Amino acid sequence: MSTPVLETENLVKVYGKGATRFDALKGLTFEIHEGESVAIVGKSGSGKSTLMHLLALLDEPTSGVVALGGEPVTALKPKKVSQLRNDTFGFVFQQFFLNPNQTVLENITLPLKIAGVGKSERNRRGMEVLEQLDMADKAKNKATNLSGGQKQRACIARALVNNPTVLFADEPTGNLDTATSEIVEDILFGLHRDQGITLVVVTHDEDLAAKCQRRLMMQDGEIVTEEHGATGVHA
Amino acid sequence: MRSVDVARTALGNTFRSKLRTALTVVAIVIGSFTLTLTSGLGAGVNKYVDTVVGGFGGSSQMFVLSTGAADAEPTDGPAEYDPEAAASSGGMFGPGSGGGVLTDSDIETIEEIENVSAVDPMVFVSPDFIETPDGAQYDLELDVPANALGLELAAGDAPGDDGMELSIPEDWLTIFDTEDAEQVIGETVQIGISNVTGEQSTVEAEVVGVSEEALSGIGATPMPSRELNQQLNDLSMEGYEGQAQNAYTMAVVDVENIETNEQGVKDALVEEDLLGLTVEDQIGAVQGVIDAVSWVLSGFGLIALLAASFGIVNTLLMSVQERTREIGLMKALGMSSGKVFGLFSMEAVVIGILGSVIGVVLGLGAGLLGNAWLTGEGGPLGGVAGLTLFAVDPLAIIGITALIVFIAFLAGTLPAARAAKKDPIEALRYE
């Protein structure tokens, strides 16, 4: 088997101290391989969001190791970690987090801007991604004028614009109606299938989880069961 | 993130809430406006003092006085009689202030000091009258020829060293029944003077220039040429019985390489109970006062800026609070804390640049217009020749702009540090 793109070893996250101590993660060890689609499933408070934050290098574990491409990242400097996030990850958020004052194109090219890519190159790659997601005609629109589905597509475009290895999606369909949800899911799994992108989905939606190749069921900071094989339509 | 993108983004963000930015900028404009005005005022007046005092002599010159004249030290009770001091105190030839005067032997002593190339003793003369060609006589008080370089001329030339010449002030044109300064050039006047025995005699002199009154007072009275002054002095001394002793109020001394030899000559003069003053010594005191006043005024400008800087802190803190999620997103997408800090500092700098540029432009406009109005033809201070109240000093303007931008940057560091410290997860959860 290839080197796992992400792996954890005895991952522990504790919030607070003494009486208010809360063990969010109680020693998780697992691997995510390149090209996999993984769902982290659990109720709220199960630790799934904490786990995603640790995997996405947005937070540091209390103890344990997160390794990216076989290399532990715990020891890296914050600046290097920021750069790794920018290079390797794409993020799709439930609340979209689009800047309402900026155009769609400006919004989706933000990761490239942060990476220090020149403006013309940014716009070229931004338009490419927008075309891929059938959003090219909305490029000059202000983000605030989009519908929910369009916003999430813009959000996916932003996540894809830096050609990430891993795409993190935090409740990507949480704010969408059923029909729109399906479109967004199609896009995400299409990317996974056609471009071999590694997909990590955090959700409490069983239907969405079912479409992933692997599901990590979380409860009280532990992975209680692990299921393999997609049961959804996109097997 | 590239610097150019940081700058562009900061600029865009600054205009996101226009009213808030505008109000913050106004506060800075007030400060920079005040600073521009006060520094321009200081520069303008100093420039005027420079040109006025520049006339008192070349920069290689030193004015030498007897220490008695310079140190009118107050004594408790009556001072003890000192026959030597009394002898050198020039009696009726003295300047009237009762101070010491320079004698011929003093002049010789000065001439022997190393690096002194020339000594030009100055005498005050007190003529009785001036007579115009039509026979009318007027009271006359003469300036000393050494001040000739400080004359602001409306017409003609300053009286020179040789020739029986003099200049008259502009408001004396009436005695020639004319308003045109050019017309009196070349007119001949008689000057009457009494000698020690009370006998009056006259000399003829030619009007060669018409002077405007400078703020220093030079040009307010007629000024003779050196030769005329000497002639008048000789006439006034006629009939003096006993040993005629020349007495001079001061002497103008030319010093070679004044930068290096100034102190040496001064020290040598002190040993002879004499005091040497350069032009800088004399204007230094005046400019010191002007500088002090303009610094005090600038202090008010700085206070305004200090208040404005809290406006920047406030504005940016609100901005950081409002954009918490945006900051969280940028950090999640890989923007380093340093760049977040840079972005918000840059927004403060943008506000600073805006405020300082607008304020400086307004200040320059107000200063130049005010100067033109006050000192221009028919203005309240229009009568003072060569007066400038406001001057543009490019260095000062660059300095003011830099100072304000720096203050803005400092004010921005607190909000920027707060933005940089934000935890992306917390920030993205923020409602």
Side-chain angles (χ1 to χ4, degrees), chain B residues 294-337:
Chain B
S294 73
W295 273 112
V296 168
L297 291 175
S298 296
F300 291 115
L302 283 175
I303 290 171
L305 272 185
L306 190 70
S309 69
F310 283 99
I312 295 183
V313 175
N314 202 6
T315 302
L316 286 182
L317 276 180
M318 276 158 71
S319 185
V320 168
Q321 197 73 12
E322 278 173 14
R323 283 150 63 189
T324 298
R325 285 168 73 160
E326 188 188 328
I327 295 164
L329 177 70
M330 288 191 293
K331 293 194 87 169
L333 295 184
M335 191 143 157
S336 66
S337 297

mmCIF file of all heavy atoms in Angstrom, chain B residues 294-337:
data_model
loop_
_atom_site.group_PDB
_atom_site.id
_atom_site.type_symbol
_atom_site.label_atom_id
_atom_site.label_comp_id
_atom_site.label_asym_id
_atom_site.label_seq_id
_atom_site.Cartn_x
_atom_site.Cartn_y
_atom_site.Cartn_z
ATOM 1 N N SER B 294 7.325 78.160 17.215
ATOM 2 C CA SER B 294 6.751 77.234 16.239
ATOM 3 C C SER B 294 6.733 75.815 16.790
ATOM 4 O O SER B 294 5.848 75.024 16.457
ATOM 5 C CB SER B 294 7.473 77.319 14.886
ATOM 6 O OG SER B 294 8.729 76.731 14.964
ATOM 7 N N TRP B 295 7.665 75.495 17.706
ATOM 8 C CA TRP B 295 7.606 74.168 18.327
ATOM 9 C C TRP B 295 6.409 74.046 19.259
ATOM 10 O O TRP B 295 5.764 72.992 19.323
ATOM 11 C CB TRP B 295 8.895 73.872 19.100
ATOM 12 C CG TRP B 295 9.948 73.273 18.240
ATOM 13 C CD1 TRP B 295 11.132 73.844 17.866
ATOM 14 C CD2 TRP B 295 9.921 71.985 17.614
ATOM 15 N NE1 TRP B 295 11.828 72.993 17.043
ATOM 16 C CE2 TRP B 295 11.115 71.857 16.869
ATOM 17 C CE3 TRP B 295 8.990 70.946 17.602
ATOM 18 C CZ2 TRP B 295 11.424 70.720 16.126
ATOM 19 C CZ3 TRP B 295 9.292 69.809 16.855
ATOM 20 C CH2 TRP B 295 10.495 69.715 16.136
ATOM 21 N N VAL B 296 6.138 75.119 19.987
ATOM 22 C CA VAL B 296 4.971 75.086 20.884
ATOM 23 C C VAL B 296 3.705 74.881 20.060
ATOM 24 O O VAL B 296 2.852 74.041 20.373
ATOM 25 C CB VAL B 296 4.879 76.388 21.705
ATOM 26 C CG1 VAL B 296 3.530 76.486 22.406
ATOM 27 C CG2 VAL B 296 6.001 76.443 22.736
ATOM 28 N N LEU B 297 3.611 75.634 18.940
ATOM 29 C CA LEU B 297 2.438 75.487 18.081
ATOM 30 C C LEU B 297 2.370 74.074 17.508
ATOM 31 O O LEU B 297 1.317 73.454 17.451
ATOM 32 C CB LEU B 297 2.482 76.519 16.946
ATOM 33 C CG LEU B 297 2.292 77.968 17.389
ATOM 34 C CD1 LEU B 297 2.481 78.901 16.206
ATOM 35 C CD2 LEU B 297 0.924 78.162 17.998
ATOM 36 N N SER B 298 3.551 73.561 17.088
ATOM 37 C CA SER B 298 3.583 72.201 16.551
ATOM 38 C C SER B 298 3.153 71.202 17.611
ATOM 39 O O SER B 298 2.573 70.169 17.308
ATOM 40 C CB SER B 298 4.983 71.854 16.060
ATOM 41 O OG SER B 298 5.337 72.684 14.996
ATOM 42 N N GLY B 299 3.447 71.549 18.878
ATOM 43 C CA GLY B 299 3.019 70.677 19.978
ATOM 44 C C GLY B 299 1.520 70.471 19.965
ATOM 45 O O GLY B 299 1.030 69.358 20.173
ATOM 46 N N PHE B 300 0.775 71.548 19.666
ATOM 47 C CA PHE B 300 -0.683 71.407 19.585
ATOM 48 C C PHE B 300 -1.063 70.473 18.443
ATOM 49 O O PHE B 300 -1.977 69.667 18.559
ATOM 50 C CB PHE B 300 -1.340 72.773 19.400
ATOM 51 C CG PHE B 300 -1.232 73.649 20.613
ATOM 52 C CD1 PHE B 300 -0.502 74.824 20.587
ATOM 53 C CD2 PHE B 300 -1.835 73.273 21.808
ATOM 54 C CE1 PHE B 300 -0.379 75.613 21.710
ATOM 55 C CE2 PHE B 300 -1.721 74.058 22.937
ATOM 56 C CZ PHE B 300 -0.990 75.233 22.891
ATOM 57 N N GLY B 301 -0.336 70.603 17.328
ATOM 58 C CA GLY B 301 -0.576 69.702 16.203
ATOM 59 C C GLY B 301 -0.342 68.258 16.604
ATOM 60 O O GLY B 301 -1.110 67.362 16.256
ATOM 61 N N LEU B 302 0.718 68.043 17.388
ATOM 62 C CA LEU B 302 1.032 66.675 17.816
ATOM 63 C C LEU B 302 -0.041 66.135 18.753
ATOM 64 O O LEU B 302 -0.385 64.957 18.699
ATOM 65 C CB LEU B 302 2.398 66.651 18.508
ATOM 66 C CG LEU B 302 3.592 66.720 17.555
ATOM 67 C CD1 LEU B 302 4.883 66.822 18.336
ATOM 68 C CD2 LEU B 302 3.618 65.485 16.652
ATOM 69 N N ILE B 303 -0.577 67.021 19.596
ATOM 70 C CA ILE B 303 -1.654 66.584 20.490
ATOM 71 C C ILE B 303 -2.862 66.152 19.660
ATOM 72 O O ILE B 303 -3.484 65.118 19.922
ATOM 73 C CB ILE B 303 -2.025 67.703 21.479
ATOM 74 C CG1 ILE B 303 -0.877 67.890 22.471
ATOM 75 C CG2 ILE B 303 -3.322 67.372 22.219
ATOM 76 C CD1 ILE B 303 -1.013 69.091 23.374
ATOM 77 N N ALA B 304 -3.165 66.937 18.631
ATOM 78 C CA ALA B 304 -4.278 66.575 17.743
ATOM 79 C C ALA B 304 -4.016 65.208 17.111
ATOM 80 O O ALA B 304 -4.919 64.376 16.991
ATOM 81 C CB ALA B 304 -4.456 67.636 16.659
ATOM 82 N N LEU B 305 -2.746 64.983 16.726
ATOM 83 C CA LEU B 305 -2.395 63.702 16.107
ATOM 84 C C LEU B 305 -2.527 62.554 17.099
ATOM 85 O O LEU B 305 -2.961 61.462 16.752
ATOM 86 C CB LEU B 305 -0.956 63.742 15.607
ATOM 87 C CG LEU B 305 -0.752 64.263 14.209
ATOM 88 C CD1 LEU B 305 0.708 64.120 13.842
ATOM 89 C CD2 LEU B 305 -1.603 63.478 13.235
ATOM 90 N N LEU B 306 -2.145 62.836 18.348
ATOM 91 C CA LEU B 306 -2.240 61.806 19.382
ATOM 92 C C LEU B 306 -3.701 61.379 19.526
ATOM 93 O O LEU B 306 -4.019 60.184 19.563
ATOM 94 C CB LEU B 306 -1.706 62.370 20.699
ATOM 95 C CG LEU B 306 -1.526 61.359 21.813
ATOM 96 C CD1 LEU B 306 -0.369 60.433 21.475
ATOM 97 C CD2 LEU B 306 -1.260 62.070 23.134
ATOM 98 N N ALA B 307 -4.584 62.390 19.586
ATOM 99 C CA ALA B 307 -6.013 62.083 19.693
ATOM 100 C C ALA B 307 -6.455 61.286 18.472
ATOM 101 O O ALA B 307 -7.191 60.297 18.588
ATOM 102 C CB ALA B 307 -6.814 63.374 19.807
ATOM 103 N N ALA B 308 -5.971 61.700 17.299
ATOM 104 C CA ALA B 308 -6.357 61.017 16.064
ATOM 105 C C ALA B 308 -5.878 59.571 16.056
ATOM 106 O O ALA B 308 -6.549 58.689 15.525
ATOM 107 C CB ALA B 308 -5.794 61.757 14.864
ATOM 108 N N SER B 309 -4.719 59.330 16.680
ATOM 109 C CA SER B 309 -4.188 57.968 16.648
ATOM 110 C C SER B 309 -5.093 57.022 17.434
ATOM 111 O O SER B 309 -5.241 55.854 17.079
ATOM 112 C CB SER B 309 -2.760 57.939 17.180
ATOM 113 O OG SER B 309 -2.750 58.203 18.552
ATOM 114 N N PHE B 310 -5.747 57.566 18.477
ATOM 115 C CA PHE B 310 -6.703 56.709 19.185
ATOM 116 C C PHE B 310 -7.906 56.418 18.301
ATOM 117 O O PHE B 310 -8.520 55.361 18.405
ATOM 118 C CB PHE B 310 -7.131 57.363 20.495
ATOM 119 C CG PHE B 310 -6.076 57.245 21.557
ATOM 120 C CD1 PHE B 310 -5.216 58.289 21.821
ATOM 121 C CD2 PHE B 310 -5.919 56.055 22.257
ATOM 122 C CE1 PHE B 310 -4.226 58.167 22.776
ATOM 123 C CE2 PHE B 310 -4.932 55.924 23.201
ATOM 124 C CZ PHE B 310 -4.085 56.979 23.478
ATOM 125 N N GLY B 311 -8.215 57.374 17.427
ATOM 126 C CA GLY B 311 -9.279 57.137 16.450
ATOM 127 C C GLY B 311 -8.934 55.958 15.555
ATOM 128 O O GLY B 311 -9.780 55.115 15.257
ATOM 129 N N ILE B 312 -7.655 55.887 15.158
ATOM 130 C CA ILE B 312 -7.227 54.774 14.309
ATOM 131 C C ILE B 312 -7.349 53.461 15.074
ATOM 132 O O ILE B 312 -7.880 52.461 14.565
ATOM 133 C CB ILE B 312 -5.759 54.969 13.857
ATOM 134 C CG1 ILE B 312 -5.663 56.200 12.969
ATOM 135 C CG2 ILE B 312 -5.268 53.742 13.108
ATOM 136 C CD1 ILE B 312 -4.267 56.422 12.424
ATOM 137 N N VAL B 313 -6.875 53.471 16.325
ATOM 138 C CA VAL B 313 -6.952 52.255 17.135
ATOM 139 C C VAL B 313 -8.405 51.784 17.202
ATOM 140 O O VAL B 313 -8.719 50.618 16.957
ATOM 141 C CB VAL B 313 -6.411 52.523 18.561
ATOM 142 C CG1 VAL B 313 -6.608 51.298 19.429
ATOM 143 C CG2 VAL B 313 -4.947 52.905 18.521
ATOM 144 N N ASN B 314 -9.286 52.735 17.510
ATOM 145 C CA ASN B 314 -10.701 52.422 17.659
ATOM 146 C C ASN B 314 -11.300 51.863 16.371
ATOM 147 O O ASN B 314 -11.944 50.816 16.352
ATOM 148 C CB ASN B 314 -11.417 53.719 18.058
ATOM 149 C CG ASN B 314 -12.731 53.434 18.741
ATOM 150 O OD1 ASN B 314 -13.040 52.267 19.008
ATOM 151 N ND2 ASN B 314 -13.481 54.461 19.010
ATOM 152 N N THR B 315 -11.055 52.576 15.279
ATOM 153 C CA THR B 315 -11.592 52.158 13.984
ATOM 154 C C THR B 315 -11.132 50.748 13.625
ATOM 155 O O THR B 315 -11.936 49.897 13.228
ATOM 156 C CB THR B 315 -11.101 53.126 12.885
ATOM 157 O OG1 THR B 315 -11.521 54.430 13.227
ATOM 158 C CG2 THR B 315 -11.657 52.739 11.540
ATOM 159 N N LEU B 316 -9.845 50.519 13.787
ATOM 160 C CA LEU B 316 -9.315 49.218 13.377
ATOM 161 C C LEU B 316 -9.753 48.102 14.324
ATOM 162 O O LEU B 316 -9.988 46.974 13.888
ATOM 163 C CB LEU B 316 -7.795 49.270 13.266
ATOM 164 C CG LEU B 316 -7.288 50.019 12.041
ATOM 165 C CD1 LEU B 316 -5.783 49.983 11.988
ATOM 166 C CD2 LEU B 316 -7.858 49.420 10.763
ATOM 167 N N LEU B 317 -9.887 48.419 15.618
ATOM 168 C CA LEU B 317 -10.372 47.391 16.549
ATOM 169 C C LEU B 317 -11.779 46.954 16.143
ATOM 170 O O LEU B 317 -12.097 45.767 16.125
ATOM 171 C CB LEU B 317 -10.394 47.929 17.981
ATOM 172 C CG LEU B 317 -9.080 47.847 18.746
ATOM 173 C CD1 LEU B 317 -9.259 48.406 20.146
ATOM 174 C CD2 LEU B 317 -8.594 46.404 18.825
ATOM 175 N N MET B 318 -12.614 47.943 15.790
ATOM 176 C CA MET B 318 -13.961 47.613 15.326
ATOM 177 C C MET B 318 -13.889 46.778 14.062
ATOM 178 O O MET B 318 -14.623 45.807 13.896
ATOM 179 C CB MET B 318 -14.752 48.897 15.060
ATOM 180 C CG MET B 318 -15.385 49.469 16.297
ATOM 181 S SD MET B 318 -15.740 51.216 16.113
ATOM 182 C CE MET B 318 -17.072 51.173 14.953
ATOM 183 N N SER B 319 -12.996 47.175 13.189
ATOM 184 C CA SER B 319 -12.843 46.471 11.923
ATOM 185 C C SER B 319 -12.405 45.026 12.160
ATOM 186 O O SER B 319 -12.929 44.096 11.542
ATOM 187 C CB SER B 319 -11.824 47.217 11.077
ATOM 188 O OG SER B 319 -11.723 46.647 9.819
ATOM 189 N N VAL B 320 -11.457 44.836 13.070
ATOM 190 C CA VAL B 320 -10.978 43.484 13.371
ATOM 191 C C VAL B 320 -12.128 42.641 13.916
ATOM 192 O O VAL B 320 -12.324 41.489 13.533
ATOM 193 C CB VAL B 320 -9.810 43.536 14.382
ATOM 194 C CG1 VAL B 320 -9.508 42.155 14.925
ATOM 195 C CG2 VAL B 320 -8.583 44.121 13.729
ATOM 196 N N GLN B 321 -12.912 43.255 14.806
ATOM 197 C CA GLN B 321 -14.049 42.552 15.400
ATOM 198 C C GLN B 321 -15.048 42.130 14.315
ATOM 199 O O GLN B 321 -15.478 41.001 14.265
ATOM 200 C CB GLN B 321 -14.724 43.490 16.406
ATOM 201 C CG GLN B 321 -15.643 42.801 17.375
ATOM 202 C CD GLN B 321 -14.853 42.015 18.416
ATOM 203 O OE1 GLN B 321 -13.645 42.178 18.517
ATOM 204 N NE2 GLN B 321 -15.530 41.155 19.146
ATOM 205 N N GLU B 322 -15.364 43.067 13.443
ATOM 206 C CA GLU B 322 -16.341 42.785 12.385
ATOM 207 C C GLU B 322 -15.841 41.717 11.428
ATOM 208 O O GLU B 322 -16.614 40.965 10.867
ATOM 209 C CB GLU B 322 -16.600 44.056 11.565
ATOM 210 C CG GLU B 322 -17.592 44.997 12.175
ATOM 211 C CD GLU B 322 -17.658 46.300 11.408
ATOM 212 O OE1 GLU B 322 -17.134 46.354 10.281
ATOM 213 O OE2 GLU B 322 -18.216 47.253 11.955
ATOM 214 N N ARG B 323 -14.565 41.702 11.210
ATOM 215 C CA ARG B 323 -14.027 40.802 10.189
ATOM 216 C C ARG B 323 -13.398 39.560 10.795
ATOM 217 O O ARG B 323 -12.570 38.911 10.164
ATOM 218 C CB ARG B 323 -13.008 41.575 9.341
ATOM 219 C CG ARG B 323 -13.695 42.497 8.351
ATOM 220 C CD ARG B 323 -12.875 43.702 8.048
ATOM 221 N NE ARG B 323 -11.619 43.357 7.405
ATOM 222 C CZ ARG B 323 -10.645 44.226 7.197
ATOM 223 N NH1 ARG B 323 -10.779 45.467 7.601
ATOM 224 N NH2 ARG B 323 -9.538 43.854 6.606
ATOM 225 N N THR B 324 -13.819 39.227 12.015
ATOM 226 C CA THR B 324 -13.259 38.065 12.688
ATOM 227 C C THR B 324 -13.295 36.819 11.809
ATOM 228 O O THR B 324 -12.303 36.107 11.662
ATOM 229 C CB THR B 324 -14.041 37.801 13.989
ATOM 230 O OG1 THR B 324 -13.886 38.922 14.837
ATOM 231 C CG2 THR B 324 -13.516 36.571 14.698
ATOM 232 N N ARG B 325 -14.457 36.572 11.197
ATOM 233 C CA ARG B 325 -14.572 35.350 10.394
ATOM 234 C C ARG B 325 -13.701 35.405 9.150
ATOM 235 O O ARG B 325 -13.137 34.399 8.731
ATOM 236 C CB ARG B 325 -16.044 35.124 10.013
ATOM 237 C CG ARG B 325 -16.827 34.628 11.210
ATOM 238 C CD ARG B 325 -18.297 34.682 10.964
ATOM 239 N NE ARG B 325 -18.720 33.638 10.035
ATOM 240 C CZ ARG B 325 -19.971 33.217 9.952
ATOM 241 N NH1 ARG B 325 -20.906 33.724 10.728
ATOM 242 N NH2 ARG B 325 -20.295 32.291 9.089
ATOM 243 N N GLU B 326 -13.608 36.599 8.590
ATOM 244 C CA GLU B 326 -12.759 36.757 7.415
ATOM 245 C C GLU B 326 -11.297 36.467 7.785
ATOM 246 O O GLU B 326 -10.575 35.804 7.034
ATOM 247 C CB GLU B 326 -12.900 38.200 6.907
ATOM 248 C CG GLU B 326 -12.222 38.454 5.589
ATOM 249 C CD GLU B 326 -12.237 39.943 5.266
ATOM 250 O OE1 GLU B 326 -13.188 40.626 5.657
ATOM 251 O OE2 GLU B 326 -11.274 40.401 4.626
ATOM 252 N N ILE B 327 -10.897 36.966 8.960
ATOM 253 C CA ILE B 327 -9.530 36.706 9.428
ATOM 254 C C ILE B 327 -9.337 35.208 9.633
ATOM 255 O O ILE B 327 -8.334 34.623 9.211
ATOM 256 C CB ILE B 327 -9.247 37.474 10.738
ATOM 257 C CG1 ILE B 327 -9.295 38.976 10.479
ATOM 258 C CG2 ILE B 327 -7.896 37.071 11.319
ATOM 259 C CD1 ILE B 327 -9.416 39.808 11.744
ATOM 260 N N GLY B 328 -10.362 34.573 10.263
ATOM 261 C CA GLY B 328 -10.297 33.129 10.485
ATOM 262 C C GLY B 328 -10.135 32.380 9.178
ATOM 263 O O GLY B 328 -9.322 31.455 9.061
ATOM 264 N N LEU B 329 -10.912 32.795 8.175
ATOM 265 C CA LEU B 329 -10.848 32.140 6.873
ATOM 266 C C LEU B 329 -9.463 32.287 6.260
ATOM 267 O O LEU B 329 -8.860 31.318 5.793
ATOM 268 C CB LEU B 329 -11.895 32.749 5.938
ATOM 269 C CG LEU B 329 -11.887 32.197 4.516
ATOM 270 C CD1 LEU B 329 -12.401 30.760 4.502
ATOM 271 C CD2 LEU B 329 -12.708 33.054 3.577
ATOM 272 N N MET B 330 -8.941 33.519 6.309
ATOM 273 C CA MET B 330 -7.620 33.748 5.712
ATOM 274 C C MET B 330 -6.554 32.895 6.405
ATOM 275 O O MET B 330 -5.676 32.334 5.760
ATOM 276 C CB MET B 330 -7.239 35.236 5.804
ATOM 277 C CG MET B 330 -8.048 36.105 4.860
ATOM 278 S SD MET B 330 -7.422 37.789 4.708
ATOM 279 C CE MET B 330 -7.722 38.446 6.322
ATOM 280 N N LYS B 331 -6.686 32.793 7.731
ATOM 281 C CA LYS B 331 -5.703 31.988 8.439
ATOM 282 C C LYS B 331 -5.885 30.506 8.114
ATOM 283 O O LYS B 331 -4.911 29.774 7.938
ATOM 284 C CB LYS B 331 -5.802 32.237 9.946
ATOM 285 C CG LYS B 331 -5.387 33.645 10.324
ATOM 286 C CD LYS B 331 -5.155 33.793 11.804
ATOM 287 C CE LYS B 331 -3.744 33.433 12.155
ATOM 288 N NZ LYS B 331 -3.409 33.822 13.541
ATOM 289 N N ALA B 332 -7.149 30.046 8.035
ATOM 290 C CA ALA B 332 -7.411 28.650 7.701
ATOM 291 C C ALA B 332 -6.855 28.326 6.318
ATOM 292 O O ALA B 332 -6.333 27.238 6.080
ATOM 293 C CB ALA B 332 -8.904 28.368 7.752
ATOM 294 N N LEU B 333 -6.957 29.295 5.407
ATOM 295 C CA LEU B 333 -6.487 29.054 4.045
ATOM 296 C C LEU B 333 -4.975 29.247 3.926
ATOM 297 O O LEU B 333 -4.446 29.265 2.835
ATOM 298 C CB LEU B 333 -7.213 29.977 3.062
ATOM 299 C CG LEU B 333 -8.713 29.728 2.936
ATOM 300 C CD1 LEU B 333 -9.313 30.617 1.864
ATOM 301 C CD2 LEU B 333 -9.014 28.274 2.653
ATOM 302 N N GLY B 334 -4.312 29.438 5.053
ATOM 303 C CA GLY B 334 -2.855 29.407 5.026
ATOM 304 C C GLY B 334 -2.161 30.749 5.106
ATOM 305 O O GLY B 334 -0.979 30.836 4.819
ATOM 306 N N MET B 335 -2.891 31.786 5.497
ATOM 307 C CA MET B 335 -2.215 33.072 5.657
ATOM 308 C C MET B 335 -1.527 33.064 7.019
ATOM 309 O O MET B 335 -2.140 32.744 8.030
ATOM 310 C CB MET B 335 -3.239 34.208 5.596
ATOM 311 C CG MET B 335 -2.612 35.564 5.501
ATOM 312 S SD MET B 335 -3.594 36.598 4.432
ATOM 313 C CE MET B 335 -3.159 38.218 4.968
ATOM 314 N N SER B 336 -0.254 33.436 7.036
ATOM 315 C CA SER B 336 0.486 33.394 8.298
ATOM 316 C C SER B 336 0.081 34.572 9.167
ATOM 317 O O SER B 336 -0.420 35.582 8.688
ATOM 318 C CB SER B 336 1.981 33.444 8.020
ATOM 319 O OG SER B 336 2.319 34.686 7.464
ATOM 320 N N SER B 337 0.321 34.434 10.472
ATOM 321 C CA SER B 337 -0.018 35.503 11.421
ATOM 322 C C SER B 337 0.699 36.793 11.048
ATOM 323 O O SER B 337 0.147 37.881 11.151
ATOM 324 C CB SER B 337 0.369 35.092 12.841
ATOM 325 O OG SER B 337 -0.368 33.967 13.231
#
